[in-house]
Amino acid sequence: MASRVTELKVNGATRPVDADPERSLLSNQVEGCLIIGLGAALFEAIRFENGKILNPRFSRYPVPRFGDIPQIDVVLRDRKDLPAAGGGETPIVAIANAIYSATGNRLRSMPLVPQGVVKS
């Protein structure tokens, strides 16, 4: 019988970025993008009931708090042979793939947890 997983915790994140490592603010930007991606994948959702928004205030909108943010390591790689690319969108895909690997369930709507994460 399948059991419902109600919590998922990301313990760490490493993000290699193909970019000029001399860009001093790039690492901070990538960290911020990772946190935004984690929030979208695991927390953020507008909740409705009978056509009414249940979390109409930002104070009730679920976003990552400091305690939810894992250790983040950003590795800047100087790849002059590649064009610049986005730095923060991959956490959503990585978390979805980790959930699929752990449960066998491919989730295609966010937030990915807790609704829909079922361990078989």
Side-chain angles (χ1 to χ4, degrees), residues 17-28:
V17 179
D18 295 326
D20 179 357
E22 297 301 318
R23 296 178 59 191
S24 61
L25 298 177
L26 179 59
S27 183
N28 292 339

Side-chain angles (χ1 to χ4, degrees), residues 64-81:
R65 306 290 191 235
F66 285 116
D68 300 316
I69 299 170
Q71 171 66 38
I72 296 174
D73 297 309
V74 176
V75 179
L76 299 179
R77 302 176 345 166
D78 191 6
R79 294 286 309 264
K80 296 188 184 322
D81 59 319

Side-chain angles (χ1 to χ4, degrees), residues 1-107:
M1 182 168 157
S3 61
R4 183 160 294 281
V5 177
T6 59
E7 186 175 315
L8 183 129
K9 180 172 174 72
V10 176
N11 294 317
T14 300
R15 176 66 171 111
V17 179
D18 295 326
D20 179 357
E22 297 301 318
R23 296 178 59 191
S24 61
L25 298 177
L26 179 59
S27 183
N28 292 339
Q29 181 179 359
V30 172
E31 280 188 31
C33 289
L34 281 163
I35 294 167
I36 290 169
L38 288 170
L42 301 178
F43 296 94
E44 298 179 35
I46 299 174
R47 307 215 190 289
F48 295 92
E49 185 176 288
N50 298 323
K52 181 179 176 185
I53 297 176
L54 298 177
N55 53 345
R57 295 183 191 86
F58 193 63
S59 63
R60 294 184 186 167
Y61 188 75
V63 295
R65 306 290 191 235
F66 285 116
D68 300 316
I69 299 170
Q71 171 66 38
I72 296 174
D73 297 309
V74 176
V75 179
L76 299 179
R77 302 176 345 166
D78 191 6
R79 294 286 309 264
K80 296 188 184 322
D81 59 319
L82 296 174
E89 295 79 6
T90 55
I92 298 169
V93 176
I95 293 168
N97 286 338
I99 291 170
Y100 176 74
S101 293
T103 66
N105 296 318
R106 177 65 69 192
L107 302 177

